[in-house]
Amino acid sequence: MGLEVPPKLALDGAVDGAVGYSGTGSLQGELALHDAAVTIQDTPPLTLDQASIVLDGGHARLAPTLVRTAARTSANRSRLRLSRGAFDIAISAGHMKVAALRAQVTLAAVPWLEQVRRGDWSGQLRYHRDTGTAGWTGSLEVNQAEIPVDGLADPLRIDSARVEIDGARVTIDRLRAAAGKLSFTGDYTYLPGAPHPHRVHLRAADWDAAEVETECLPVLRRGSSLLAAPWAAPRCPIG
């Protein structure tokens, strides 16, 4: 079977159940899907071994179920809610590779998380889309992650961090990370639309000034030095 549900979402799989048509012009009933797949905007499918879909008053609701990505990584639980011109996807994961999201174009565009090259995440993600709004929210724990940062000689290695996502706004706290030989803890907030949208607070017990300069070499002007003329150099992200 192939059931097309706007916007650009398709369900495929074996189905059984009962559906009725009410006088109000809507479908009522419950369907059981077996060996099913959910495809969003022509991306590789999310596969479901078994799933239950409830149709009620023009809405379709997928009961919590085990979902696997194209990389065969499993999310512990997923909810899908569809209605005319809108849908919600909620994903809960106890341990999932960030790379598993990259195979899904829609899922890959999670703010900040889309920049992470490798690592694990756990927690909840939710995507809502309707005729007027679209965006992600989430509460995550990120571990053993790596992310490139413009201006640093080495990628940022995140041992652990807690991440809150609210649309384009991102808050990171309980951060334990390192860049090259520089280890630190801290927090970060991105406030879209603010005059200074990036707010960073880092804490470190001991940093060697020469190691700071080495890490910030990509942003130094030719012939300048953080030690000799710090006012003449572009600002280092960890300075």
Side-chain angles (χ1 to χ4, degrees):
M1 115 177 229
L3 173 62
E4 294 292 333
V5 186
K8 296 183 181 179
L9 186 147
L11 301 177
D12 293 279
V15 61
D16 57 62
V19 175
Y21 183 79
S22 69
T24 59
S26 62
L27 297 175
Q28 308 285 334
E30 184 170 355
L31 301 174
L33 287 173
H34 309 281
D35 300 320
V38 178
T39 303
I40 304 169
Q41 296 180 344
D42 300 320
T43 69
L46 301 170
T47 59
L48 307 84
D49 294 336
Q50 296 185 23
S52 175
I53 296 180
V54 177
L55 304 175
D56 183 17
H59 300 274
R61 185 176 66 255
L62 178 70
T65 187
L66 181 70
V67 175
R68 293 186 177 86
T69 68
R72 304 305 295 171
T73 301
S74 299
N76 290 350
R77 187 175 63 180
S78 179
R79 295 177 184 267
L80 175 65
R81 182 177 178 84
L82 312 172
S83 60
R84 295 185 183 91
F87 66 87
D88 287 272
I89 303 172
I91 301 173
S92 298
H95 179 82
M96 189 175 185
K97 295 290 184 183
V98 174
L101 297 178
R102 297 196 180 283
Q104 315 295 329
V105 174
T106 303
L107 302 184
V110 180
W112 184 78
L113 201 60
E114 64 181 340
Q115 303 175 47
V116 179
R117 288 203 299 215
R118 60 177 62 91
D120 304 322
W121 73 275
S122 59
Q124 296 80 41
L125 280 170
R126 177 178 179 262
Y127 179 79
H128 173 79
R129 177 175 175 175
D130 57 30
T131 55
T133 61
W136 286 95
T137 56
S139 180
L140 315 174
E141 295 283 342
V142 177
N143 296 277
Q144 305 305 312
E146 185 176 289
I147 179 171
V149 176
D150 187 31
L152 295 183
D154 298 289
L156 182 65
R157 306 188 312 276
I158 299 176
D159 293 331
S160 61
R162 185 175 65 179
V163 182
E164 298 289 333
I165 298 169
D166 184 7
R169 176 171 178 156
V170 177
T171 301
I172 303 174
D173 61 9
R174 299 181 185 177
L175 174 67
R176 299 179 61 87
K181 297 181 179 180
L182 305 176
S183 299
F184 51 87
T185 60
D187 57 80
Y188 164 82
T189 302
Y190 175 67
L191 300 171
H196 303 284
H198 301 279
R199 299 181 181 180
V200 183
H201 301 92
L202 303 182
R203 296 174 289 276
D206 185 24
W207 275 358
D208 184 275
E211 291 177 354
V212 174
E213 182 175 22
T214 298
E215 191 59 40
C216 292
L217 280 177
V219 298
L220 295 179
R221 293 173 182 164
R222 181 174 298 178
S224 67
S225 167
L226 277 177
L227 302 181
W231 56 85
R235 181 171 177 81
C236 173
I238 61 174

